Amino acid sequence: MARASNNKIKIGVHWKNTVSIEIPSSNSPRHPKLIELDPNIPLDDYISKICDDWKIPLSNSIHYALRYDDTHKFVTEQNRFQIPTGQVFYLSLSHENEVQDILKYLSSNDYQRYDSTILERLKLAGEDETFALEFVKQNGLQYLLKLFTDDGKLNNYENFTPNLLRSLHNVIINQQAISWDDLENIDKIVDQLICGINASKLFCLHSSVAMMILDSIISMESKYSLKIIQTLQISNLLDYCSKQHDIETQYYALALVNIIMSKSDQTIRSSLVRAMSHTIVTTNLRELVQLIIIGDENSNNDSFTSTDTAIQSSRVSIFVQFLNFKFNEYSTCCERALLHLTRSSLIQQLWLLQRFYLNELYTNSMNTSPDRLDTKYRDMITELRRSAFDTDLLLSDQSCQDLTTRLSSGNINESMTTLTFNHRRVEALQRDYERLGFQDLREPIKDFELIPPGILSLQNLFYFCIHQKHDFIRFVLENSCKTLQQQCPLVKSAIEITRILCRLFNIGIEPNRHQIHKDYFLLFYTSTSFFEQAFARCLLLFNKTWKEMRACDVDFEVVSSVVYQQISQSLDDVCLMNPSANKTIIASYSPSKNQTISSPTTTKSTMNISLTSVALQRFTFDYFSERLNANNYKDICRRRDEQELKREESIMRLPIVETLKERLRSHVQSLTRQARLKTMKKGQIFFTIESRSGAKKTKNRAMYWQLLDNEKHVQCSESPTTIMKENNTRDGSTTSLTRTMIPLENIKDVQCNIDQSRSGNLNNQERLPKIPRHSNANMSVTIVLQNDTTYTLLCENDYDMSCWSDGFNILFHKEMDSFYAREEMELLLNLLCQLQILELDHPSIILSQHSLPVPIRLPPTRPVSSI
């Protein structure tokens, strides 16, 4: 895609003394240049201008090109539009001339020269696709293969230099015209590489490139792929993950293991379990993970927290350093950014390896139903019952055999006693199975026939019973004292927890190398038997959540969904970057204003050690258990409510919903007005203070106020309860109920007043707290008539005051300005919008119209009378 004509970018170009360009030396220094690239001007014009400034003959300028200073790729007219602003380049030979110059040396017999210089140039240039195509076009691969097969010089592993192997790899993978199968004598090269890796004869610098080539051959599905998969030993590849090897070697060793696992049969896959069961391999992988965690934490402290941030930061710093001519610091930044990318890729390979390992360990058990006749699983169930209830000899299997022997004897009385006792034993066994949470009391092993998780749940439950016997017994006894409906079923919970863990850890699903990894998979390397320990801890969490929710047997699915969210959130908390933990450590080491920093270096080193320890603690089983306790049922409910509110708010902010609100707003205002007028028509009793000009005030007189149906008069009368009290004090004499009709046209003004203890008025945006009945802090609505007579209605709370003030505003054709009116209108508006959305998502169900059935007995037909 072409760049806009007016879009100019700024780049930097510098001179490299290591560039092999045969030009006469210049007395004037070749200073770096800052150039503004115009997309309408060819690159040759800029190169000619650079050659002129650096005193390079212009006749040779057509043989030169610009190359990226970090990736060493060539800049052409086709890819120039991908250059970012601030990128740094150096002057070099063009890709055609670079190929010719390298082939000139490769065709000679000067091995000492091209080993040190030419192969290094070929390794760097081979990463560029344009160069690779030109190199293959000019038969450059024949010279590389000659170096491998030269019996006089290079027929041994020590002379397989990293540059030679890397050059061959870079050229092959960066072009389209040739594959590994088309190369001559490639089978000999593959045999030598496989033999060297299996026998560990390759040097550390050579092994990474050798595994890189083998990984490329398998990825491109060459005809040699099957030979590599069947010949390479996974145990030997895992030995390269030790800390004595560099990160690149560790990465390609893991990548080669993973690609072999993805393309091999079950026999080769089973060798992974045997290889990872060795203590040396386990220790090497654990040390590798710890180095990754520590290295990632240090990179986070140096602001290299992500790939994009690292690249963007390095570009900015590179451009600034270019202006200051500090290219040494620039190369250091590039190396640190590359190191971070390698570490992220290494974590991806560790995640894939663990996925393959978990699948080989648990997939078969997860998809297998138990055999009812298998004594192994029956013994497991018997051990569960024995550990939970500690049954005596009378209920043991040996006692049952003794009873069978006695039953075969001829004593009838003893036989009847034995049958009765055996029946009691069966009832006792079923009662124990019921307390353990089995659903099938006759054959408990049938509970584990559901796939998934199959027999894996029984194996996990047996692990819990053997290794955490105290917690197992407490789980059973806590629920034994409850009713059957309130008990948390142990076996059913174990099956559900196993299903949840298999789902979260993707057991039984073939891993995808392009899938984003999860950091909590590193727990399997740092903790021994993490899957079984996690099962035991999550099973206790299920019982804890069951008690917090006060659940019964019908609530099992609800509890299961809550526990799933608790486990999932706890696993997500185990991550390489935890800003909250880092902020806590940094805050604890931040000096106060009154403190002086005597040794900043010591403080920084101490803080880095603390941050490292925090990072390592996040990948322990204890930290995972703490997160399970922290993510309790109350927090899960709060998060669910927050997510639901955010979802509703996001929906209500959509443009189409805003348009719908504007259409419904007039209807909502009409409904709110009707509700206010309905409240006034219903009537309400207020303590009323009546004030007339020249008359004495009447305080705290209970009056009944009501709006008449014609909405033109307001009626006030004495409260019926007040009349009854007065009649009782006058010895049975009756008093008529006095009523006052106030026309709306006689009302001059209506005011809302709050006493001095509550400042403000009705127009405040904040909601006033509710005032208790008969409190001293009163709110009132004052009605002022045309003859200066005032009625002050003392309200019990701010809501009553708002309703009546809004009602009078409606009658006087004014806006409702109270807080409650705005709140109710907004609430009703949101409800109507949600109903409209629900109607769009779920259209109304239209029932099919059925014809009326013909009655069995028809009424008799009456004959038509003749006239």
Side-chain angles (χ1 to χ4, degrees):
M1 181 172 133
R3 195 188 301 272
S5 59
N6 58 351
N7 192 359
K8 298 181 181 180
I9 59 174
K10 294 182 179 180
I11 63 170
V13 181
H14 72 99
W15 172 260
K16 267 194 174 182
N17 293 326
T18 57
V19 178
S20 179
I21 300 179
E22 297 179 358
I23 59 174
S25 59
S26 176
N27 296 327
S28 59
R30 296 185 174 96
H31 295 300
K33 302 182 67 62
L34 179 63
I35 299 177
E36 188 177 30
L37 282 182
D38 190 342
N40 299 320
I41 299 177
L43 287 176
D44 294 338
D45 296 349
Y46 290 103
I47 294 175
S48 300
K49 181 67 170 59
I50 294 173
C51 292
D52 186 23
D53 295 341
W54 284 351
K55 307 301 180 182
I56 299 175
L58 295 179
S59 59
N60 296 330
S61 62
I62 59 174
H63 303 296
Y64 302 143
L66 296 178
R67 293 176 67 175
Y68 286 84
D69 199 72
D70 48 359
T71 61
H72 304 281
K73 292 186 177 182
F74 293 88
V75 180
T76 61
E77 291 291 345
Q78 289 74 22
N79 60 15
R80 66 178 296 183
F81 303 110
Q82 302 174 0
I83 299 175
T85 299
Q87 183 65 48
V88 179
F89 301 91
Y90 67 92
L91 191 65
S92 172
L93 290 175
S94 62
H95 63 277
E96 298 93 347
N97 292 273
E98 184 77 5
V99 170
Q100 294 176 2
D101 191 62
I102 291 175
L103 291 179
K104 181 177 65 174
Y105 287 97
L106 290 179
S107 59
S108 66
N109 294 324
D110 192 357
Y111 293 103
Q112 185 65 28
R113 184 174 185 183
Y114 65 66
D115 278 345
S116 58
T117 306
I118 298 302
L119 290 178
E120 179 67 26
R121 291 170 55 188
L122 179 59
K123 179 190 70 173
L124 298 178
E127 297 181 358
D128 185 79
E129 184 177 355
T130 306
F131 174 86
L133 288 172
E134 185 67 23
F135 188 80
V136 174
K137 183 179 180 181
Q138 299 188 20
N139 298 323
L141 288 177
Q142 294 181 359
Y143 296 100
L144 288 181
L145 295 175
K146 181 181 178 182
L147 299 180
F148 284 103
T149 58
D150 191 352
D151 298 332
K153 190 69 178 177
L154 295 177
N155 194 16
N156 54 65
Y157 298 110
E158 288 75 16
N159 290 325
F160 276 7
T161 61
N163 291 341
L164 184 61
L165 294 172
R166 198 180 297 271
S167 300
L168 179 65
H169 173 267
N170 292 342
V171 171
I172 291 294
I173 67 173
N174 283 293
Q175 54 84 34
Q176 310 291 335
I178 196 170
S179 64
W180 292 103
D181 297 339
D182 299 332
L183 299 179
E184 297 180 359
N185 300 324
I186 188 63
D187 53 343
K188 296 181 180 180
I189 299 175
V190 171
D191 292 338
Q192 292 175 355
L193 295 179
I194 294 175
C195 183
I197 292 175
N198 286 334
S200 301
K201 293 183 179 180
L202 295 179
F203 295 138
C204 294
L205 295 177
H206 305 172
S207 56
S208 62
V209 190
M211 288 184 286
M212 184 190 307
I213 292 176
L214 296 180
D215 179 76
S216 175
I217 293 175
I218 299 176
S219 300
M220 298 176 68
E221 297 182 354
S222 170
K223 63 181 179 181
Y224 303 103
S225 300
L226 183 60
K227 180 179 181 180
I228 298 174
I229 293 173
Q230 294 177 351
T231 309
L232 274 180
Q233 299 295 327
I234 293 181
S235 58
N236 295 331
L237 290 173
L238 292 177
D239 292 338
Y240 288 95
C241 296
S242 60
K243 59 183 179 181
Q244 65 183 2
H245 295 87
D246 58 350
I247 294 181
E248 188 179 33
T249 303
Q250 295 169 346
Y251 169 77
Y252 280 106
L254 293 173
L256 201 52
V257 172
N258 291 328
I259 197 170
I260 289 175
M261 291 293 295
S262 63
K263 296 180 179 296
S264 61
D265 55 6
Q266 185 60 37
T267 305
I268 299 178
R269 288 192 173 194
S270 59
S271 62
L272 177 65
V273 179
R274 295 192 299 269
M276 293 190 66
S277 61
H278 294 168
T279 307
I280 298 177
V281 175
T282 305
T283 304
N284 291 337
L285 292 176
R286 183 181 294 111
E287 292 176 352
L288 176 60
V289 170
Q290 291 177 355
L291 290 176
I292 290 174
I293 296 172
I294 297 174
D296 192 85
E297 191 68 24
N298 294 334
S299 63
N300 292 338
N301 298 335
D302 296 334
S303 301
F304 286 89
T305 56
S306 64
T307 302
D308 297 337
T309 307
I311 296 175
Q312 188 66 24
S313 302
S314 61
R315 284 176 180 171
V316 175
S317 62
I318 288 168
F319 193 68
V320 174
Q321 291 165 6
F322 168 76
L323 297 178
N324 295 309
F325 313 114
K326 297 182 179 179
F327 292 101
N328 293 331
E329 297 181 7
Y330 149 72
S331 59
T332 304
C333 293
C334 289
E335 291 176 359
R336 294 177 65 187
L338 180 61
L339 182 62
H340 188 276
L341 294 177
T342 306
R343 184 180 295 111
S344 177
S345 303
L346 188 60
I347 296 174
Q348 180 76 10
Q349 296 300 329
L350 284 169
W351 170 74
L352 286 173
L353 178 64
Q354 192 61 51
R355 285 284 307 277
F356 284 117
Y357 180 64
L358 291 178
N359 284 344
E360 291 303 313
L361 274 181
Y362 304 114
T363 302
N364 188 25
S365 299
M366 184 184 69
N367 296 326
T368 303
S369 297
D371 187 4
R372 303 180 191 176
L373 302 179
D374 194 342
T375 57
K376 174 185 175 181
Y377 302 127
R378 290 186 176 275
D379 292 343
M380 286 184 179
I381 297 176
T382 303
E383 183 62 27
L384 293 177
R385 178 180 55 82
R386 184 182 295 110
S387 300
F389 305 110
D390 194 18
T391 53
D392 55 8
L393 183 62
L394 294 178
L395 295 181
S396 64
D397 295 336
Q398 183 65 33
S399 177
C400 182
Q401 295 177 4
D402 295 340
L403 291 176
T404 304
T405 304
R406 293 164 59 185
L407 181 62
S408 60
S409 62
N411 195 336
I412 300 178
N413 296 329
E414 188 176 1
S415 300
M416 294 297 297
T417 305
T418 302
L419 289 174
T420 305
F421 186 81
N422 195 20
H423 179 69
R424 293 178 181 176
R425 178 184 181 274
V426 172
E427 291 181 351
L429 288 176
Q430 293 182 356
R431 185 166 57 251
D432 290 346
Y433 291 147
E434 187 177 23
R435 292 162 67 185
L436 285 174
F438 284 97
Q439 303 299 316
D440 194 328
L441 303 181
R442 290 176 176 265
E443 293 189 52
I445 199 172
K446 287 185 177 181
D447 287 9
F448 303 101
E449 291 182 349
L450 182 63
I451 297 176
I455 204 62
L456 181 60
S457 54
L458 177 59
Q459 295 174 355
N460 290 336
L461 190 59
F462 185 74
Y463 176 90
F464 178 48
C465 172
I466 298 300
H467 294 82
Q468 299 186 21
K469 191 171 184 178
H470 178 72
D471 294 333
F472 174 79
I473 295 175
R474 185 180 62 181
F475 188 107
V476 176
L477 296 182
E478 278 184 359
N479 292 277
S480 297
C481 58
K482 301 178 182 178
T483 61
L484 291 177
Q485 290 75 18
Q486 295 178 345
Q487 288 181 7
C488 178
L490 174 63
V491 175
K492 189 176 180 180
S493 303
I495 296 173
E496 185 63 26
I497 290 296
T498 306
R499 186 185 295 111
I500 290 174
L501 292 180
C502 291
R503 178 181 175 186
L504 290 174
F505 297 146
N506 299 318
I507 296 177
I509 301 175
E510 192 70 16
N512 184 5
R513 61 168 56 188
H514 303 293
Q515 186 179 358
I516 300 176
H517 66 271
K518 297 289 186 179
D519 292 339
Y520 61 75
F521 268 89
L522 298 178
L523 285 169
F524 289 94
Y525 294 103
T526 59
S527 303
T528 306
S529 302
F530 177 76
F531 184 81
E532 289 77 9
Q533 293 187 52
F535 167 82
R537 184 62 188 83
C538 294
L539 188 59
L540 296 176
L541 174 68
F542 197 99
N543 186 35
K544 176 175 173 288
T545 307
W546 184 282
K547 292 187 292 185
E548 290 178 352
M549 298 178 63
R550 298 180 180 180
C552 56
D553 53 355
V554 296
D555 302 324
F556 186 86
E557 297 296 334
V558 180
V559 179
S560 176
S561 64
V562 174
V563 173
Y564 176 84
Q565 192 168 355
Q566 288 175 302
I567 301 174
S568 176
Q569 183 63 41
S570 301
L571 289 174
D572 292 338
D573 293 341
V574 182
C575 58
L576 286 172
M577 294 187 299
N578 194 340
S580 60
N582 295 347
K583 290 180 181 178
T584 304
I585 296 297
I586 293 174
S588 62
Y589 282 90
S590 298
S592 60
K593 296 182 180 179
N594 299 329
Q595 293 178 346
T596 59
I597 302 176
S598 58
S599 178
T601 306
T602 305
T603 304
K604 183 178 179 179
S605 62
T606 306
M607 186 173 63
N608 290 336
I609 294 173
S610 301
L611 289 174
T612 301
S613 62
V614 169
L616 292 176
Q617 289 176 2
R618 287 202 301 267
F619 288 90
T620 59
F621 182 78
D622 294 336
Y623 180 79
F624 173 67
S625 300
E626 292 177 3
R627 298 312 307 164
L628 287 177
N629 291 329
N631 295 318
N632 51 25
Y633 173 63
K634 182 179 180 180
D635 292 340
I636 294 298
C637 292
R638 177 179 55 80
R639 290 172 185 171
R640 286 183 175 180
D641 294 340
E642 291 177 355
Q643 292 177 358
E644 186 66 22
L645 288 176
K646 290 181 180 179
R647 189 185 67 86
E648 292 181 358
E649 290 176 358
S650 61
I651 292 176
M652 291 303 166
R653 286 194 295 266
L654 295 176
I656 187 172
V657 179
E658 293 292 342
T659 305
L660 181 61
K661 281 185 177 182
E662 294 300 326
R663 293 181 179 180
L664 296 175
R665 194 174 300 277
S666 59
H667 177 61
V668 170
Q669 291 177 353
S670 175
L671 293 177
T672 308
R673 293 191 189 97
Q674 295 176 12
R676 290 293 187 267
L677 295 178
K678 185 177 181 180
T679 302
M680 295 182 68
K681 292 177 181 180
K682 184 178 180 181
Q684 193 171 355
I685 299 175
F686 296 101
F687 285 93
T688 307
I689 301 176
E690 181 181 0
S691 176
R692 299 178 182 270
S693 58
K696 187 178 180 180
K697 291 183 179 180
T698 303
K699 295 184 178 180
N700 291 343
R701 185 73 172 176
M703 303 289 289
Y704 181 77
W705 290 82
Q706 183 182 15
L707 176 67
L708 298 184
D709 294 336
N710 56 11
E711 298 181 1
K712 295 182 179 180
H713 294 80
V714 177
Q715 172 182 287
C716 64
S717 60
E718 295 183 1
S719 175
T721 56
T722 306
I723 299 297
M724 293 176 61
K725 291 181 181 179
E726 292 181 356
N727 292 339
N728 293 335
T729 56
R730 295 178 183 178
D731 299 331
S733 59
T734 60
T735 303
S736 61
L737 185 64
T738 60
R739 297 182 179 181
T740 304
M741 304 291 292
I742 303 176
L744 292 179
E745 57 186 13
N746 291 342
I747 298 176
K748 185 194 310 185
D749 191 15
V750 177
Q751 300 176 355
C752 297
N753 302 313
I754 304 175
D755 65 346
Q756 64 276 8
S757 64
R758 294 178 178 268
S759 60
N761 51 37
L762 190 65
N763 296 326
N764 288 345
Q765 298 293 330
E766 297 181 357
R767 177 177 176 176
L768 298 173
K770 187 176 180 179
I771 301 176
R773 185 182 294 271
H774 305 305
S775 63
N776 295 326
N778 293 318
M779 295 184 178
S780 60
V781 178
T782 302
I783 303 174
V784 182
L785 303 183
Q786 297 291 347
N787 56 2
D788 295 334
T789 301
T790 60
Y791 295 93
T792 303
L793 284 63
L794 303 180
C795 305
E796 295 182 356
N797 49 59
D798 57 342
Y799 183 75
D800 294 339
M801 181 185 67
S802 300
C803 288
W804 282 81
S805 63
D806 290 337
F808 280 112
N809 287 335
I810 295 171
L811 295 174
F812 294 147
H813 305 287
K814 298 181 180 179
E815 293 293 334
M816 297 180 292
D817 53 0
S818 67
F819 170 81
Y820 288 101
R822 291 190 296 271
E823 184 185 52
E824 292 177 4
M825 284 191 295
E826 189 67 24
L827 179 61
L828 184 58
L829 194 60
N830 291 336
L831 289 176
L832 289 177
C833 290
Q834 291 177 1
L835 288 176
Q836 294 285 342
I837 295 173
L838 287 176
E839 290 180 359
L840 293 176
D841 292 341
H842 305 282
S844 58
I845 301 175
I846 301 176
L847 298 177
S848 58
Q849 297 180 358
H850 298 282
S851 59
L852 294 176
V854 179
I856 299 176
R857 183 178 180 182
L858 295 176
T861 58
R862 299 178 62 181
V864 180
S865 59
S866 59
I867 301 176

